[in-house]
Each structure stands twice: as structure tokens, then as C-alpha cells.
Amino acid sequence: MTSSNRTMNRIVLFILGLVAIVAALVGGAGVLPPVRDALSQYVTLPKSVTLDTTTLWIVAVVCVVVIVLSIIWIVTRGRGGTSIALREEKGDDQVTVNVGLVRDVIEHELDEVRDVVGTRVDLYRVRKQRAARVRISVRRGGDAATVLDAVDRALATLDRVLGRQVPTLVHLTGGTKSVLAKKVRVQ
């Protein structure tokens, strides 16, 4: 629900890291004799390099472009996540509802459902509107229809508490946590 692609982020960071490591080694080999001596076992580096002015300008421009693109990449990643579920303003008054209330309402409503192992609620801004993502871990072999009915009731309660509907994505999950988990109840 964010504008970033996790795999693409990892690939770009990996490539930039490799380029930075190679640049640091080559730069260090040209400046520091101990680095040049350590690398001489693996790579043959010239003792001195002469570059004309045009080549230096091309390298400088490429470095500036990489830096600018990296800054743009960093600034545009991760948008969307918010901790504010609802903000109402009337005149000078303002009411702000935090994600904690949404989380508490959903957890309280799903507390009695036997097949629900855990819940996680995240809020995002999608196209200038707040939306919730509710991830529910369901016990292995649990009845998904019962869980979805309970989630519908929990979301209806949330809508009543907030006074308006919040667009919600419900994601049912299973896995190791749901296999090993036991319903813990403290009295």
C-alpha cells in the first residue's frame, strides 16, 4: 500500500553498495600505499593515472547524477504510512484519532474468536484518504468464514466508534505463528 517496491529497493541498494565499495577500494588504492599493497595480490593497478579534463568532467557529472537520483529515491520511498486514523476540524476545535484506538477496537472485537491468533493494524494515506490494513493470523485449520464474519462485525463497530467508514484491506494469514500459537487467556 506504499509507493515503493521492496524488491526494487533492495536491488538498487545492493548495486549502489557494490559501486561504493569498488570506488572506495580503487580510490584508496590510488591514494593510500597500504591499500594498494593489499590489493596488488588480487588486482594489478597502475601506479599513476592521467586523465584529461573532459573525462574528469564526465566522471563528476555522473557522480552528481547518481547523488541526485539517490536523494530523489530516498525522499520518495515509504510514503503512505500514518498513525492518524481520523482528523476532524470544526472551527477552532480539532479531534485526532490515533491508530491505537483502531487497533484496540479491532483486537477487542476479535478477542473472543477462537481461530484468531493475532492481529496487526496499519494505517496508510492512499490518494489523500486514510485507509486501514488489518492482518489477521488465523489458526491452522481455522474456519475462515467465521473469522471473516467476526472481522465484518469488528469493522462495523469501528465505523460506529469513528462515526464514518474507513476503507479497509483485510488480509488473513497463516503460517508458523498460527501453527504453534495457543490461545492465551489471563484471568
Side-chain angles (χ1 to χ4, degrees):
M1 292 178 72
T2 63
S3 63
S4 62
N5 181 336
R6 182 174 291 183
T7 304
M8 186 57 126
N9 282 342
R10 301 303 187 267
I11 291 170
V12 168
L13 288 175
F14 180 74
I15 291 171
L16 287 177
L18 285 178
V19 168
I21 289 171
V22 169
L25 289 175
V26 170
V31 176
L32 303 171
V35 174
R36 183 176 45 241
D37 294 341
L39 289 177
S40 65
Q41 299 172 10
Y42 307 106
V43 179
T44 305
L45 294 171
K47 295 289 182 191
S48 65
V49 177
T50 56
L51 298 174
D52 60 347
T53 308
T54 307
T55 306
L56 288 175
W57 276 108
I58 291 172
V59 169
V61 168
V62 168
C63 289
V64 168
V65 167
V66 167
I67 290 170
V68 168
L69 289 176
S70 298
I71 290 172
I72 290 171
W73 184 266
I74 290 168
V75 171
T76 59
R77 298 305 102 190
R79 291 182 291 147
T82 183
S83 64
I84 298 171
L86 178 68
R87 179 172 283 154
E88 280 288 324
E89 296 181 26
K90 290 193 179 181
D92 293 339
D93 298 332
Q94 180 177 2
V95 175
T96 302
V97 177
N98 197 332
V99 67
L101 176 73
V102 175
R103 190 174 296 130
D104 290 344
V105 168
I106 297 216
E107 285 177 359
H108 176 27
E109 292 295 317
L110 296 177
D111 192 36
E112 297 298 322
V113 180
R114 190 181 80 76
D115 291 332
V116 173
V117 175
T119 60
R120 180 180 170 132
V121 178
D122 299 311
L123 291 170
Y124 296 93
R125 289 192 54 87
V126 179
R127 295 188 183 136
K128 298 184 180 182
Q129 182 179 6
R130 289 177 176 87
R133 177 177 63 184
V134 179
R135 285 191 241 171
I136 300 169
S137 297
V138 179
R139 185 176 316 284
R140 185 174 180 185
D143 185 16
T146 304
V147 172
L148 284 175
D149 289 340
V151 170
D152 285 340
R153 288 191 304 277
L155 292 176
T157 302
L158 177 66
D159 293 341
R160 280 194 313 274
V161 168
L162 294 178
R164 69 172 60 169
Q165 286 188 332
V166 175
T168 306
L169 170 69
V170 177
H171 183 183
L172 298 180
T173 62
T176 307
K177 178 181 176 183
S178 64
V179 171
L180 300 174
K182 295 178 183 173
K183 190 73 169 180
V184 177
R185 183 165 210 143
V186 179
Q187 292 184 355

